[in-house]
Amino acid sequence: MPGHIIAIVIAGMIVNVYIPIAPSLLGAMVDYQGIDSDVAGRLISYNFWGATVSTVLAIFILPRPGWNIRLTMLFSLALVTITSPAAVWAANDISLLAIIRFINGFGAGLGFTVAAVAVVGSPNVERAYAFLYGNPYLIGGLGLALLPHVYSTVGIEGALLGMGALNLAAFALVPYFPKALVPHQDGTHDPLLNVVGRGGRQRLVLGALLLVTFFLHYVFNSGIWTYFERIGVSFGMSALESGSILGPSMAAGLLGMFLASMLGNRYSAFWMMFVGTVAILLSTLYLLLQPTGVAFGLSTALFSASIPFVTPYFVAELSRIVPRGLGVLAANIVTITGFSTGPFLVSLLVRDNDFIPSVALTAVGFVVVLLLLLLFAGLSRRQPPAVAATSAP
């Protein structure tokens, strides 16, 4: 990849750093700040909700002619830089901390979206997106493995200040961003505000069904995923042991991403989505047995690998069914909205560090996703060939 694309990808990774380390950060808030697990889960949800709001807002502001992409990235990095030490100062004020976490997530979501938009039109853009969307799993794995040692050395305060400093250092990468969106060959910008799916009611029904299915998948996969470190502790492991085991298992998400890229369109997208969801359901059911050690690591590894495996197939189907970019934009919003909703729902179910009801609900949720996928496949068979070419099994 060209040097400026690498710089953009790295900046996107840094500004978004709080999102993939959410499970480790949640555990640290419980262990080092004395915050209850359910409250810590809601605080993490505010991070995700902030990212959701800014991701939706980006659709309306980034495509505007003359909008300065570079300054927007600078603003995003500044928000994350400022809110990092602010979270240390407000540790004893939950209401203020909730606002800070929301603003932090707002900066993260906006900055990541800017990075995704900034590489449009670059050579080998697929490779750039593979690194941009795959690095959260690498960061999440490294965070769970290494951050417990950081917390024990400098506390959560030192970790937060370090991430703030990292975002401040990323200011040096801002000049590599373009000042505005790359125009089309006709000289106009992509009118995201006017994107509409064409192909009639049948297309929209299929797209809406698949979008709801994708949303539910992310609601249920993000809920217990965010609590994995705490779930390991509730099963009898120490925080350090749980984090050390989860590090490699979270990094297994990269394997799911690479497997999907290798398989590509060799098989029906439906079967890839279905098989990937069956895998994550099986790993969830195994967690009901409260495994520890290697068994816990293998179960969470399969869970983590399944998410980036099914995601590109969902997005590819949505982009085909709902043309002119609307499907991809909707998928991006659904992803972050699902990540926002899942941990919040789990936080409402947690009582006395008992996560079994949450794990059971997650399993039921994935069963619903499988049923919706079967419905999607059945409806796809009834559509005209142009609509159903790759949807049906």
Side-chain angles (χ1 to χ4, degrees):
M1 289 188 294
H4 73 284
I5 298 298
I6 294 175
I8 290 172
V9 170
I10 292 175
M13 174 183 68
I14 292 174
V15 76
N16 192 52
V17 67
Y18 278 95
I19 303 301
I21 66 166
S24 177
L25 191 61
L26 189 153
M29 285 192 285
V30 174
D31 290 336
Y32 293 91
Q33 293 182 314
I35 300 175
D36 292 337
S37 291
D38 56 337
V39 176
R42 283 193 284 274
L43 288 173
I44 292 297
S45 293
Y46 298 143
N47 248 115
F48 292 151
W49 278 115
T52 301
V53 171
S54 61
T55 300
V56 173
L57 179 64
I59 296 175
F60 294 91
I61 63 173
L62 297 184
R64 296 168 73 95
W67 187 267
N68 196 314
I69 301 293
R70 189 177 296 170
L71 284 180
T72 307
M73 188 63 189
L74 185 64
F75 173 72
S76 302
L77 287 167
L79 286 181
V80 179
T81 299
I82 294 170
T83 53
S84 294
V88 175
W89 301 329
N92 296 321
D93 188 335
I94 298 299
S95 298
L96 180 57
L97 193 57
I99 296 173
I100 291 172
R101 295 251 62 89
F102 180 88
I103 296 173
N104 181 281
F106 186 94
L110 181 60
F112 189 82
T113 304
V114 170
V117 167
V119 300
V120 170
S122 65
N124 294 319
V125 68
E126 295 84 2
R127 185 177 299 173
Y129 280 129
F131 280 101
L132 188 62
Y133 285 95
N135 75 68
Y137 296 96
L138 177 62
I139 298 300
L142 290 175
L144 280 166
L146 301 179
L147 281 176
H149 299 282
V150 175
Y151 299 144
S152 63
T153 304
V154 297
I156 186 175
E157 295 82 4
L160 293 175
L161 292 174
M163 285 182 278
L166 186 63
N167 275 268
L168 181 61
F171 279 31
L173 301 175
V174 172
Y176 292 98
F177 281 73
K179 288 187 176 180
L181 281 177
V182 178
H184 289 280
Q185 293 181 352
D186 60 2
T188 63
H189 291 266
D190 189 9
L192 298 183
L193 296 178
N194 298 320
V195 172
V196 291
R198 290 182 178 176
R201 181 174 175 272
Q202 294 175 332
R203 246 185 221 281
L204 293 178
V205 168
L206 270 181
L209 175 60
L210 191 60
L211 197 63
V212 169
T213 306
F214 191 36
F215 170 72
L216 289 177
H217 197 295
Y218 262 78
V219 167
F220 292 109
N221 72 46
S222 67
I224 63 172
W225 179 88
T226 304
Y227 277 94
F228 269 167
E229 192 266 354
R230 287 293 95 184
I231 291 175
V233 172
S234 74
F235 288 173
M237 294 181 285
S238 69
L240 189 61
E241 181 185 5
S242 179
S244 298
I245 291 172
L246 282 172
S249 74
M250 290 295 197
L254 293 175
L255 297 178
M257 180 188 69
F258 287 133
L259 180 59
S261 65
M262 288 174 57
L263 293 176
N265 59 0
R266 295 181 186 177
Y267 303 98
S268 163
F270 163 78
W271 281 116
M272 296 298 95
M273 293 184 289
F274 192 85
V275 170
T277 305
V278 168
I280 202 169
L281 171 61
L282 292 176
S283 67
T284 304
L285 290 172
Y286 189 69
L287 286 175
L288 290 173
L289 301 178
Q290 302 186 43
T292 58
V294 175
F296 179 71
L298 291 175
S299 178
T300 53
L302 179 59
F303 191 104
S304 299
S306 300
I307 300 172
F309 177 78
V310 302
T311 296
Y313 290 106
F314 272 105
V315 176
E317 278 294 277
L318 284 166
S319 67
R320 185 189 61 79
I321 296 171
V322 187
R324 297 180 61 194
L326 179 60
V328 175
L329 289 170
N332 196 32
I333 294 173
V334 156
T335 301
I336 192 63
T337 304
F339 259 115
S340 306
T341 306
F344 183 81
L345 291 179
V346 171
S347 74
L348 299 179
L349 294 175
V350 176
R351 292 292 183 274
D352 299 322
N353 287 321
D354 180 10
F355 290 91
I356 293 302
S358 301
V359 176
L361 177 63
T362 299
V364 173
F366 286 131
V367 171
V368 172
V369 169
L370 289 173
L371 293 175
L372 289 175
L373 282 173
L374 290 174
L375 177 61
F376 171 77
L379 291 177
S380 296
R381 294 193 191 97
R382 304 176 188 176
Q383 307 309 316
V387 176
T390 65
S391 300

